[in-house]
Amino acid sequence: MLNELAERAVSLAGANRKREHGTHLHTLSEAVDRGEPLPLGTPNRDLADMAAYKMAMVGFDTVAIERFVVVDELGVGGTFDRLLHYSGPGPDGRHFEGLLIGDLKTGSVQYGGLKMASQLAVYAHGERYDHTRFPVDGRDKKALATWRKTSVPADEAMTAYADTAEVSRDWGVIIHLPAGEAQCTLYWANLRIGWEAALLAGDIRRMRATRGALAAFGGSAQRIV
């Protein structure tokens, strides 16, 4: 309860305003890609941002919006913003045609290139997964603990997975739309580098969970760390 009150106080103070505006721009961009009109009363600065977004994305066809995937190899899952079809010059100047993972960023991208490439690489290696097949209220800790221990027959578990279209595992697209600047810039994301980083992160996560690196001094073989 105290955490919720603190979060509410922080939000009322305006700390989450930028994040919330970014979420709002994501919602507007989805309407643009679906060919839907923007809500009445949309501020002019948001209209300008969406005009910039539409101009930047003119060379892409939106195949899917907000698709959830899992990567069993890494034990992770997530939702990417766009599945895009692109036909045109690739990052090496050669013709590229196929499906790309696209992700919209409304904050700074100056220092997050490797992180974003890794994020998109994980999406590109993912399998579509319908998490609603086995629902659980994540806010209920007891229910979540029970859910995690529940065994599901393999054939039933497989019904949650779906075939994934052939998505490029070499390249993805970062769509940078900084809020209120009426500018949208596209970046190629090198997913080969990103996947290497994701695998390394997985190795580090496993190593961080390793115990037994230290033992008590004095002849005792008891592990302490």
Side-chain angles (χ1 to χ4, degrees):
M1 186 181 296
L2 288 175
N3 286 339
E4 291 178 359
L5 288 172
E7 177 62 27
R8 184 180 177 190
V10 167
S11 181
L12 288 173
N16 298 327
R17 197 166 296 148
K18 183 176 289 187
R19 182 185 66 189
E20 291 167 356
H21 191 208
T23 301
H24 176 62
L25 290 181
H26 272 76
T27 302
L28 293 181
S29 70
E30 291 176 14
V32 169
D33 286 341
R34 292 190 179 103
E36 300 171 354
L38 297 180
L40 291 175
T42 298
N44 287 335
R45 68 170 185 169
D46 290 348
L47 292 174
D49 284 345
M50 289 303 104
Y53 170 78
K54 191 167 185 177
M55 288 294 294
M57 298 298 291
V58 70
F60 297 89
D61 293 321
T62 301
V63 178
I65 297 173
E66 293 283 319
R67 178 168 285 181
F68 182 79
V69 294
V70 296
V71 182
D72 289 337
E73 180 179 353
L74 298 178
V76 299
T79 303
F80 60 85
D81 292 329
R82 300 290 188 276
L83 180 61
L84 303 168
H85 181 268
Y86 173 71
S87 179
D92 55 4
R94 299 179 181 179
H95 181 76
F96 177 96
E97 182 158 3
L99 296 176
L100 297 164
I101 300 292
D103 220 47
L104 179 65
K105 304 297 183 184
T106 57
S108 174
V109 299
Q110 185 176 3
Y111 302 110
L114 182 59
K115 179 179 70 173
M116 288 181 278
S118 181
Q119 179 188 17
L120 266 63
V122 172
Y123 291 144
H125 283 76
E127 295 181 87
R128 290 182 63 185
Y129 185 80
D130 181 7
H131 58 85
T132 63
R133 288 283 293 112
F134 307 102
V136 63
D137 184 356
R139 296 168 297 183
D140 187 332
K141 293 183 178 180
K142 290 184 179 179
L144 185 60
T146 301
W147 177 82
R148 284 175 171 168
K149 296 177 181 178
T150 302
S151 297
V152 178
D155 55 348
E156 184 179 350
M158 288 302 296
T159 62
Y161 291 85
D163 291 335
T164 304
E166 282 295 324
V167 179
S168 174
R169 292 184 173 181
D170 294 326
W171 299 100
V173 178
I174 291 295
I175 308 159
H176 185 214
L177 183 68
E181 296 186 15
Q183 293 183 0
C184 185
T185 306
L186 304 180
Y187 296 93
W188 287 103
N190 189 322
L191 304 193
R192 294 187 297 273
I193 293 175
W195 183 241
E196 185 178 351
L199 294 177
L200 177 60
D203 289 340
I204 292 172
R205 184 173 63 175
R206 284 190 292 273
M207 288 304 300
R208 289 180 66 181
T210 302
R211 301 184 64 82
L214 297 180
F217 195 82
S220 172
Q222 180 184 7
R223 292 176 179 176
I224 60 172
V225 178

